mmCIF file of all heavy atoms in Angstrom:
data_model
loop_
_atom_site.group_PDB
_atom_site.id
_atom_site.type_symbol
_atom_site.label_atom_id
_atom_site.label_comp_id
_atom_site.label_asym_id
_atom_site.label_seq_id
_atom_site.Cartn_x
_atom_site.Cartn_y
_atom_site.Cartn_z
ATOM 1 N N TRP A 234 108.769 106.825 106.823
ATOM 2 C CA TRP A 234 108.080 106.311 108.012
ATOM 3 C C TRP A 234 107.135 107.331 108.623
ATOM 4 O O TRP A 234 106.156 106.956 109.299
ATOM 5 C CB TRP A 234 109.099 105.836 109.046
ATOM 6 C CG TRP A 234 109.919 106.934 109.666
ATOM 7 C CD1 TRP A 234 111.119 107.404 109.225
ATOM 8 C CD2 TRP A 234 109.580 107.705 110.816
ATOM 9 N NE1 TRP A 234 111.564 108.424 110.029
ATOM 10 C CE2 TRP A 234 110.639 108.630 111.023
ATOM 11 C CE3 TRP A 234 108.512 107.714 111.700
ATOM 12 C CZ2 TRP A 234 110.633 109.545 112.075
ATOM 13 C CZ3 TRP A 234 108.503 108.620 112.750
ATOM 14 C CH2 TRP A 234 109.554 109.525 112.932
ATOM 15 N N THR A 235 107.405 108.628 108.424
ATOM 16 C CA THR A 235 106.514 109.639 109.002
ATOM 17 C C THR A 235 105.115 109.578 108.383
ATOM 18 O O THR A 235 104.134 109.939 109.025
ATOM 19 C CB THR A 235 107.095 111.045 108.802
ATOM 20 O OG1 THR A 235 107.414 111.230 107.415
ATOM 21 C CG2 THR A 235 108.348 111.246 109.633
ATOM 22 N N ALA A 238 103.410 107.054 110.317
ATOM 23 C CA ALA A 238 103.058 107.610 111.636
ATOM 24 C C ALA A 238 101.831 108.517 111.515
ATOM 25 O O ALA A 238 100.969 108.529 112.399
ATOM 26 C CB ALA A 238 104.238 108.383 112.198
ATOM 27 N N GLU A 239 101.756 109.258 110.422
ATOM 28 C CA GLU A 239 100.629 110.182 110.243
ATOM 29 C C GLU A 239 99.305 109.438 110.142
ATOM 30 O O GLU A 239 98.314 109.843 110.764
ATOM 31 C CB GLU A 239 100.854 111.038 108.993
ATOM 32 C CG GLU A 239 99.857 112.169 108.849
ATOM 33 C CD GLU A 239 100.238 113.117 107.723
ATOM 34 O OE1 GLU A 239 101.211 113.865 107.884
ATOM 35 O OE2 GLU A 239 99.569 113.101 106.680
ATOM 36 N N VAL A 240 99.280 108.343 109.380
ATOM 37 C CA VAL A 240 98.029 107.588 109.257
ATOM 38 C C VAL A 240 97.672 106.918 110.583
ATOM 39 O O VAL A 240 96.489 106.744 110.915
ATOM 40 C CB VAL A 240 98.117 106.572 108.102
ATOM 41 C CG1 VAL A 240 98.985 105.375 108.458
ATOM 42 C CG2 VAL A 240 96.734 106.096 107.701
ATOM 43 N N MET A 241 98.697 106.575 111.365
ATOM 44 C CA MET A 241 98.424 106.009 112.691
ATOM 45 C C MET A 241 97.807 107.065 113.606
ATOM 46 O O MET A 241 96.862 106.788 114.361
ATOM 47 C CB MET A 241 99.726 105.470 113.297
ATOM 48 C CG MET A 241 99.527 104.740 114.620
ATOM 49 S SD MET A 241 101.069 104.109 115.291
ATOM 50 C CE MET A 241 101.479 102.854 114.093
ATOM 51 N N ILE A 242 98.334 108.304 113.530
ATOM 52 C CA ILE A 242 97.782 109.400 114.333
ATOM 53 C C ILE A 242 96.329 109.667 113.937
ATOM 54 O O ILE A 242 95.463 109.872 114.800
ATOM 55 C CB ILE A 242 98.639 110.676 114.149
ATOM 56 C CG1 ILE A 242 100.014 110.480 114.782
ATOM 57 C CG2 ILE A 242 97.938 111.888 114.764
ATOM 58 C CD1 ILE A 242 101.002 111.583 114.461
ATOM 59 N N MET A 243 96.047 109.661 112.638
ATOM 60 C CA MET A 243 94.660 109.860 112.175
ATOM 61 C C MET A 243 93.727 108.820 112.781
ATOM 62 O O MET A 243 92.623 109.129 113.243
ATOM 63 C CB MET A 243 94.600 109.756 110.639
ATOM 64 C CG MET A 243 95.256 110.889 109.898
ATOM 65 S SD MET A 243 95.305 110.548 108.114
ATOM 66 C CE MET A 243 96.073 112.049 107.510
ATOM 67 N N THR A 244 94.189 107.582 112.773
ATOM 68 C CA THR A 244 93.356 106.473 113.266
ATOM 69 C C THR A 244 93.113 106.589 114.765
ATOM 70 O O THR A 244 91.990 106.408 115.232
ATOM 71 C CB THR A 244 94.035 105.135 112.932
ATOM 72 O OG1 THR A 244 94.337 105.104 111.535
ATOM 73 C CG2 THR A 244 93.132 103.966 113.254
ATOM 74 N N ILE A 245 94.172 106.898 115.521
ATOM 75 C CA ILE A 245 94.030 107.027 116.979
ATOM 76 C C ILE A 245 93.184 108.242 117.327
ATOM 77 O O ILE A 245 92.343 108.196 118.229
ATOM 78 C CB ILE A 245 95.430 107.117 117.631
ATOM 79 C CG1 ILE A 245 96.179 105.794 117.430
ATOM 80 C CG2 ILE A 245 95.315 107.458 119.110
ATOM 81 C CD1 ILE A 245 97.622 105.846 117.871
ATOM 82 N N LEU A 246 93.399 109.331 116.611
ATOM 83 C CA LEU A 246 92.657 110.566 116.885
ATOM 84 C C LEU A 246 91.156 110.365 116.680
ATOM 85 O O LEU A 246 90.337 110.788 117.506
ATOM 86 C CB LEU A 246 93.164 111.675 115.956
ATOM 87 C CG LEU A 246 92.582 113.081 116.150
ATOM 88 C CD1 LEU A 246 92.919 113.603 117.538
ATOM 89 C CD2 LEU A 246 93.139 114.033 115.079
ATOM 90 N N GLY A 247 90.784 109.704 115.593
ATOM 91 C CA GLY A 247 89.361 109.479 115.324
ATOM 92 C C GLY A 247 88.779 108.357 116.153
ATOM 93 O O GLY A 247 87.593 108.394 116.511
ATOM 94 N N GLY A 258 89.227 111.096 112.014
ATOM 95 C CA GLY A 258 90.560 111.521 112.433
ATOM 96 C C GLY A 258 91.343 112.139 111.288
ATOM 97 O O GLY A 258 92.059 113.133 111.478
ATOM 98 N N ALA A 259 91.217 111.568 110.083
ATOM 99 C CA ALA A 259 91.915 112.126 108.912
ATOM 100 C C ALA A 259 91.417 113.538 108.615
ATOM 101 O O ALA A 259 92.212 114.447 108.351
ATOM 102 C CB ALA A 259 91.684 111.217 107.696
ATOM 103 N N VAL A 261 89.966 115.674 110.737
ATOM 104 C CA VAL A 261 90.361 116.602 111.811
ATOM 105 C C VAL A 261 91.834 116.967 111.704
ATOM 106 O O VAL A 261 92.209 118.146 111.826
ATOM 107 C CB VAL A 261 90.052 115.966 113.188
ATOM 108 C CG1 VAL A 261 90.641 116.807 114.320
ATOM 109 C CG2 VAL A 261 88.543 115.819 113.371
ATOM 110 N N LEU A 262 92.678 115.965 111.466
ATOM 111 C CA LEU A 262 94.124 116.230 111.414
ATOM 112 C C LEU A 262 94.477 117.141 110.241
ATOM 113 O O LEU A 262 95.277 118.084 110.396
ATOM 114 C CB LEU A 262 94.893 114.913 111.302
ATOM 115 C CG LEU A 262 96.411 115.058 111.459
ATOM 116 C CD1 LEU A 262 96.765 115.459 112.880
ATOM 117 C CD2 LEU A 262 97.126 113.757 111.104
ATOM 118 N N ILE A 263 93.902 116.891 109.082
ATOM 119 C CA ILE A 263 94.224 117.720 107.907
ATOM 120 C C ILE A 263 93.703 119.146 108.094
ATOM 121 O O ILE A 263 94.396 120.124 107.778
ATOM 122 C CB ILE A 263 93.638 117.077 106.633
ATOM 123 C CG1 ILE A 263 94.398 115.790 106.306
ATOM 124 C CG2 ILE A 263 93.715 118.037 105.448
ATOM 125 C CD1 ILE A 263 93.827 115.007 105.147
ATOM 126 N N LEU A 264 92.498 119.286 108.662
ATOM 127 C CA LEU A 264 91.956 120.629 108.895
ATOM 128 C C LEU A 264 92.808 121.385 109.916
ATOM 129 O O LEU A 264 93.099 122.579 109.730
ATOM 130 C CB LEU A 264 90.508 120.525 109.381
ATOM 131 C CG LEU A 264 89.487 120.081 108.321
ATOM 132 C CD1 LEU A 264 88.118 119.856 108.950
ATOM 133 C CD2 LEU A 264 89.384 121.105 107.194
ATOM 134 N N LEU A 265 93.208 120.707 110.995
ATOM 135 C CA LEU A 265 94.061 121.358 111.995
ATOM 136 C C LEU A 265 95.391 121.772 111.374
ATOM 137 O O LEU A 265 95.895 122.874 111.629
ATOM 138 C CB LEU A 265 94.298 120.405 113.172
ATOM 139 C CG LEU A 265 93.115 120.185 114.118
ATOM 140 C CD1 LEU A 265 93.449 119.094 115.136
ATOM 141 C CD2 LEU A 265 92.742 121.473 114.840
ATOM 142 N N ASP A 266 95.947 120.886 110.567
ATOM 143 C CA ASP A 266 97.226 121.171 109.901
ATOM 144 C C ASP A 266 97.126 122.426 109.036
ATOM 145 O O ASP A 266 97.971 123.327 109.108
ATOM 146 C CB ASP A 266 97.629 119.958 109.065
ATOM 147 C CG ASP A 266 98.986 120.149 108.402
ATOM 148 O OD1 ASP A 266 99.735 121.024 108.859
ATOM 149 O OD2 ASP A 266 99.280 119.438 107.431
ATOM 150 N N ARG A 267 96.044 122.486 108.236
ATOM 151 C CA ARG A 267 95.906 123.624 107.313
ATOM 152 C C ARG A 267 95.681 124.938 108.046
ATOM 153 O O ARG A 267 96.259 125.973 107.698
ATOM 154 C CB ARG A 267 94.749 123.387 106.340
ATOM 155 C CG ARG A 267 94.912 122.197 105.437
ATOM 156 C CD ARG A 267 96.083 122.389 104.470
ATOM 157 N NE ARG A 267 96.266 121.191 103.653
ATOM 158 C CZ ARG A 267 96.989 120.142 104.027
ATOM 159 N NH1 ARG A 267 97.612 120.148 105.186
ATOM 160 N NH2 ARG A 267 97.104 119.084 103.246
ATOM 161 N N ILE A 269 96.021 125.673 111.529
ATOM 162 C CA ILE A 269 96.959 126.066 112.589
ATOM 163 C C ILE A 269 98.281 126.541 112.004
ATOM 164 O O ILE A 269 98.924 127.452 112.545
ATOM 165 C CB ILE A 269 97.161 124.894 113.575
ATOM 166 C CG1 ILE A 269 95.857 124.642 114.330
ATOM 167 C CG2 ILE A 269 98.278 125.203 114.562
ATOM 168 C CD1 ILE A 269 95.913 123.505 115.315
ATOM 169 N N THR A 270 98.695 125.953 110.887
ATOM 170 C CA THR A 270 99.942 126.432 110.265
ATOM 171 C C THR A 270 99.800 127.858 109.719
ATOM 172 O O THR A 270 100.799 128.510 109.447
ATOM 173 C CB THR A 270 100.365 125.487 109.113
ATOM 174 O OG1 THR A 270 99.250 125.234 108.255
ATOM 175 C CG2 THR A 270 100.903 124.183 109.633
ATOM 176 N N THR A 273 100.556 129.686 113.399
ATOM 177 C CA THR A 273 101.851 129.519 114.053
ATOM 178 C C THR A 273 102.715 128.528 113.287
ATOM 179 O O THR A 273 102.187 127.650 112.590
ATOM 180 C CB THR A 273 101.673 129.021 115.501
ATOM 181 O OG1 THR A 273 102.956 128.737 116.064
ATOM 182 C CG2 THR A 273 100.812 127.777 115.556
ATOM 183 N N ILE A 274 104.024 128.662 113.437
ATOM 184 C CA ILE A 274 104.947 127.726 112.787
ATOM 185 C C ILE A 274 105.178 126.499 113.663
ATOM 186 O O ILE A 274 105.877 125.572 113.272
ATOM 187 C CB ILE A 274 106.298 128.399 112.473
ATOM 188 C CG1 ILE A 274 106.970 128.875 113.758
ATOM 189 C CG2 ILE A 274 106.107 129.527 111.476
ATOM 190 C CD1 ILE A 274 108.391 129.393 113.549
ATOM 191 N N TYR A 275 104.601 126.528 114.882
ATOM 192 C CA TYR A 275 104.856 125.443 115.830
ATOM 193 C C TYR A 275 103.757 124.371 115.756
ATOM 194 O O TYR A 275 103.249 123.917 116.781
ATOM 195 C CB TYR A 275 104.965 126.007 117.246
ATOM 196 C CG TYR A 275 106.094 127.001 117.384
ATOM 197 C CD1 TYR A 275 105.833 128.362 117.500
ATOM 198 C CD2 TYR A 275 107.424 126.576 117.364
ATOM 199 C CE1 TYR A 275 106.866 129.286 117.606
ATOM 200 C CE2 TYR A 275 108.466 127.483 117.473
ATOM 201 C CZ TYR A 275 108.182 128.837 117.593
ATOM 202 O OH TYR A 275 109.206 129.733 117.680
ATOM 203 N N TRP A 276 103.365 123.987 114.516
ATOM 204 C CA TRP A 276 102.332 122.970 114.327
ATOM 205 C C TRP A 276 102.691 121.645 114.987
ATOM 206 O O TRP A 276 101.846 121.029 115.660
ATOM 207 C CB TRP A 276 102.032 122.794 112.846
ATOM 208 C CG TRP A 276 101.384 121.486 112.472
ATOM 209 C CD1 TRP A 276 101.869 120.543 111.631
ATOM 210 C CD2 TRP A 276 100.119 120.977 112.923
ATOM 211 N NE1 TRP A 276 101.010 119.484 111.531
ATOM 212 C CE2 TRP A 276 99.911 119.722 112.328
ATOM 213 C CE3 TRP A 276 99.143 121.454 113.799
ATOM 214 C CZ2 TRP A 276 98.788 118.942 112.549
ATOM 215 C CZ3 TRP A 276 98.013 120.673 114.026
ATOM 216 C CH2 TRP A 276 97.845 119.442 113.403
ATOM 217 N N PRO A 277 103.948 121.161 114.882
ATOM 218 C CA PRO A 277 104.270 119.888 115.541
ATOM 219 C C PRO A 277 104.048 119.937 117.050
ATOM 220 O O PRO A 277 103.625 118.949 117.652
ATOM 221 C CB PRO A 277 105.750 119.680 115.190
ATOM 222 C CG PRO A 277 105.927 120.428 113.913
ATOM 223 C CD PRO A 277 105.067 121.640 114.051
ATOM 224 N N THR A 278 104.332 121.098 117.672
ATOM 225 C CA THR A 278 104.114 121.232 119.116
ATOM 226 C C THR A 278 102.628 121.152 119.444
ATOM 227 O O THR A 278 102.213 120.473 120.394
ATOM 228 C CB THR A 278 104.678 122.586 119.612
ATOM 229 O OG1 THR A 278 106.044 122.682 119.228
ATOM 230 C CG2 THR A 278 104.549 122.697 121.122
ATOM 231 N N VAL A 279 101.828 121.855 118.645
ATOM 232 C CA VAL A 279 100.377 121.824 118.845
ATOM 233 C C VAL A 279 99.851 120.401 118.661
ATOM 234 O O VAL A 279 99.014 119.917 119.443
ATOM 235 C CB VAL A 279 99.678 122.785 117.855
ATOM 236 C CG1 VAL A 279 98.155 122.682 117.992
ATOM 237 C CG2 VAL A 279 100.137 124.218 118.087
ATOM 238 N N LEU A 280 100.375 119.691 117.652
ATOM 239 C CA LEU A 280 99.946 118.317 117.398
ATOM 240 C C LEU A 280 100.288 117.415 118.582
ATOM 241 O O LEU A 280 99.479 116.578 118.996
ATOM 242 C CB LEU A 280 100.617 117.788 116.122
ATOM 243 C CG LEU A 280 100.331 116.315 115.777
ATOM 244 C CD1 LEU A 280 98.843 116.094 115.543
ATOM 245 C CD2 LEU A 280 101.124 115.894 114.539
ATOM 246 N N GLY A 281 101.484 117.627 119.148
ATOM 247 C CA GLY A 281 101.884 116.836 120.309
ATOM 248 C C GLY A 281 100.942 117.054 121.483
ATOM 249 O O GLY A 281 100.556 116.102 122.179
ATOM 250 N N ILE A 282 100.561 118.311 121.727
ATOM 251 C CA ILE A 282 99.634 118.627 122.828
ATOM 252 C C ILE A 282 98.276 117.978 122.568
ATOM 253 O O ILE A 282 97.660 117.408 123.481
ATOM 254 C CB ILE A 282 99.488 120.153 122.975
ATOM 255 C CG1 ILE A 282 100.831 120.755 123.413
ATOM 256 C CG2 ILE A 282 98.382 120.491 123.975
ATOM 257 C CD1 ILE A 282 100.861 122.270 123.387
ATOM 258 N N ILE A 283 97.802 118.060 121.327
ATOM 259 C CA ILE A 283 96.504 117.455 120.976
ATOM 260 C C ILE A 283 96.535 115.949 121.228
ATOM 261 O O ILE A 283 95.605 115.369 121.796
ATOM 262 C CB ILE A 283 96.156 117.739 119.500
ATOM 263 C CG1 ILE A 283 95.855 119.227 119.321
ATOM 264 C CG2 ILE A 283 94.949 116.903 119.051
ATOM 265 C CD1 ILE A 283 95.717 119.649 117.872
ATOM 266 N N LEU A 284 97.631 115.309 120.831
ATOM 267 C CA LEU A 284 97.733 113.859 121.035
ATOM 268 C C LEU A 284 97.751 113.500 122.511
ATOM 269 O O LEU A 284 97.134 112.513 122.934
ATOM 270 C CB LEU A 284 98.998 113.335 120.355
ATOM 271 C CG LEU A 284 98.913 113.165 118.842
ATOM 272 C CD1 LEU A 284 100.243 112.704 118.282
ATOM 273 C CD2 LEU A 284 97.826 112.163 118.482
ATOM 274 N N LEU A 285 98.450 114.312 123.327
ATOM 275 C CA LEU A 285 98.473 114.066 124.771
ATOM 276 C C LEU A 285 97.064 114.162 125.350
ATOM 277 O O LEU A 285 96.647 113.323 126.164
ATOM 278 C CB LEU A 285 99.392 115.079 125.463
ATOM 279 C CG LEU A 285 100.895 114.836 125.322
ATOM 280 C CD1 LEU A 285 101.675 115.984 125.917
ATOM 281 C CD2 LEU A 285 101.271 113.528 126.016
ATOM 282 N N LEU A 286 96.323 115.183 124.928
ATOM 283 C CA LEU A 286 94.959 115.363 125.432
ATOM 284 C C LEU A 286 94.065 114.192 125.023
ATOM 285 O O LEU A 286 93.247 113.714 125.818
ATOM 286 C CB LEU A 286 94.380 116.682 124.901
ATOM 287 C CG LEU A 286 95.046 117.961 125.430
ATOM 288 C CD1 LEU A 286 94.484 119.182 124.715
ATOM 289 C CD2 LEU A 286 94.828 118.081 126.929
ATOM 290 N N VAL A 287 94.241 113.746 123.759
ATOM 291 C CA VAL A 287 93.428 112.625 123.276
ATOM 292 C C VAL A 287 93.742 111.360 124.061
ATOM 293 O O VAL A 287 92.845 110.636 124.507
ATOM 294 C CB VAL A 287 93.663 112.398 121.764
ATOM 295 C CG1 VAL A 287 93.042 111.077 121.314
ATOM 296 C CG2 VAL A 287 93.073 113.541 120.963
ATOM 297 N N LEU A 288 95.031 111.093 124.252
ATOM 298 C CA LEU A 288 95.426 109.862 124.939
ATOM 299 C C LEU A 288 94.981 109.849 126.397
ATOM 300 O O LEU A 288 94.602 108.808 126.935
ATOM 301 C CB LEU A 288 96.945 109.685 124.843
ATOM 302 C CG LEU A 288 97.476 109.368 123.436
ATOM 303 C CD1 LEU A 288 98.990 109.381 123.416
ATOM 304 C CD2 LEU A 288 96.966 108.011 122.971
ATOM 305 N N ILE A 295 87.812 110.493 119.064
ATOM 306 C CA ILE A 295 86.663 111.391 118.917
ATOM 307 C C ILE A 295 85.366 110.599 118.802
ATOM 308 O O ILE A 295 84.364 110.925 119.444
ATOM 309 C CB ILE A 295 86.862 112.284 117.679
ATOM 310 C CG1 ILE A 295 88.089 113.186 117.867
ATOM 311 C CG2 ILE A 295 85.612 113.129 117.418
ATOM 312 C CD1 ILE A 295 88.505 113.923 116.615
#
Side-chain angles (χ1 to χ4, degrees):
W234 68 269
T235 52
E239 189 171 288
V240 74
M241 185 179 293
I242 292 171
M243 290 173 178
T244 307
I245 294 172
L246 184 62
V261 171
L262 189 68
I263 290 175
L264 289 173
L265 287 173
D266 183 19
R267 298 295 177 274
I269 293 179
T270 49
T273 174
I274 61 173
Y275 299 107
W276 159 240
T278 305
V279 176
L280 176 61
I282 294 171
I283 291 171
L284 282 177
L285 284 174
L286 293 174
V287 169
L288 291 173
I295 296 170

